Amino acid sequence: MEVTKIADMGKNIYSSARTVAKGTCNQVKKSFKNPIVRSNAKNALPVAILTAGAFSAMSLLPNRKGDGKQGKLEKMSGKLASYAFAIAGFTKFFKVPTKDPKELEVIFKKAKIKDVLETLNTNKENIVAYIFMILGVRVVTNLLTKGLDEKVIEEFKPQKLGD
């Protein structure tokens, strides 16, 4: 393969990725400009903060702090926090007809996507913002977990394995 072909391929991949990223950023910005979406996000924000804080506290679990590596639970804390927020924040973010999960499951299994959107009284912007908040909870939890882990190592200076 010629060098110019490789360079052109790289430029094409870069421009495609950039276009997708710009479109995604614009969609998220557009979603949060909607006043209904902002009020729903404000309703779900305490749940997001609580789940991120609770699951980032997993970094305080005893493990091999001396070698600077996180344990399995610490590595999974972001994923677990995003799952917990997705479940707990659903009723805060959307107007659900019932709080019983079994009834919701029956409603959603029988309905089409359009019917589900009407039942939840929502639109595409609301769903985009909800997904963005789930991803945000995951990122914030991972950052807090790593930060707390570093603080624990710095503060208590545990011995390395083998010392």
Side-chain angles (χ1 to χ4, degrees):
M1 229 181 202
E2 294 178 21
V3 175
T4 56
K5 286 184 181 180
I6 295 172
D8 289 342
M9 215 171 15
K11 288 177 186 176
N12 290 338
I13 291 170
Y14 171 76
S15 65
S16 297
R18 185 174 176 182
T19 304
V20 170
K22 280 180 95 174
T24 303
C25 288
N26 289 337
Q27 182 65 44
V28 171
K29 285 180 188 176
K30 180 183 169 192
S31 295
F32 278 103
K33 285 182 181 177
N34 187 337
I36 296 170
V37 172
R38 271 188 281 166
S39 70
N40 289 344
K42 285 180 185 176
N43 290 341
L45 193 60
V47 177
I49 292 170
L50 183 68
T51 54
F55 283 94
S56 64
M58 287 183 171
S59 64
L60 301 175
L61 293 172
N63 62 5
R64 304 175 308 184
K65 297 284 184 205
D67 61 6
K69 294 183 181 176
Q70 293 184 328
K72 287 182 182 179
L73 277 177
E74 288 174 327
K75 288 180 183 177
M76 289 183 52
S77 63
K79 188 184 294 186
L80 295 173
S82 63
Y83 291 152
F85 172 73
I87 293 168
F90 186 81
T91 56
K92 298 282 187 186
F93 211 85
F94 300 107
K95 292 175 177 59
V96 291
T98 179
K99 300 288 184 191
D100 186 23
K102 290 182 182 177
E103 290 180 30
L104 279 175
E105 183 180 355
V106 170
I107 291 171
F108 293 146
K109 275 188 177 179
K110 292 181 181 178
K112 296 179 183 174
I113 292 177
K114 185 178 178 184
D115 297 335
V116 170
L117 293 177
E118 288 177 13
T119 302
L120 294 176
N121 193 18
T122 190
N123 57 13
K124 177 181 158 185
E125 293 173 345
N126 220 2
I127 293 171
V128 167
Y130 178 64
I131 292 170
F132 183 75
M133 284 191 72
I134 291 172
L135 293 174
V137 165
R138 186 174 189 164
V139 169
V140 167
T141 304
N142 285 339
L143 290 174
L144 284 173
T145 302
K146 289 181 181 175
L148 280 173
D149 200 34
E150 290 298 319
K151 273 289 190 202
V152 167
I153 290 172
E154 180 182 303
E155 197 66 34
F156 296 109
K157 296 185 184 5
Q159 291 183 346
K160 292 187 177 185
L161 294 174
D163 287 349

